[in-house]
Amino acid sequence: MSSNVRGQRFVIGLYAALVAVAGVAGFLTGTFVSGLRPPKFLFLVPFPATPLGFAAYGALTIALVLGLPLLLVVYVSSQLDDVAE
């Protein structure tokens, strides 16, 4: 197994773990904090002010905030590999 495949698996695993932690944090926030207003994903899509709503909001927000730069890095690195050959 090449180190490139192990590195990709590590990054994907870390990404999934961070998204899961954000979801759990949102769930705990919705469970134990009272008087919360409903969050709006991307300032447009309202989520209910329930533990599941906050879990979904947290997971989706972190997935987007971390996922877009990660996709950009993957794209740029693949282009650099193509140019180097």
Side-chain angles (χ1 to χ4, degrees):
M1 180 186 298
S2 71
S3 63
N4 187 26
V5 172
R6 286 184 293 175
Q8 288 176 351
R9 281 187 172 185
F10 174 75
V11 170
I12 291 171
L14 183 61
Y15 175 76
L18 290 172
V19 170
V21 167
V24 169
F27 184 82
L28 292 175
T29 300
T31 301
F32 295 110
V33 179
S34 60
L36 295 172
R37 294 186 310 164
K40 287 188 177 181
F41 181 67
L42 299 176
F43 304 105
L44 299 172
V45 181
F47 281 86
T50 63
L52 288 178
F54 277 100
Y57 173 77
L60 284 173
T61 301
I62 292 300
L64 183 70
V65 168
L66 294 179
L68 287 179
L70 183 60
L71 286 174
L72 183 62
V73 167
V74 168
Y75 174 75
V76 169
S77 67
S78 70
Q79 295 302 317
L80 288 177
D81 285 344
D82 292 342
V83 172
E85 293 175 359

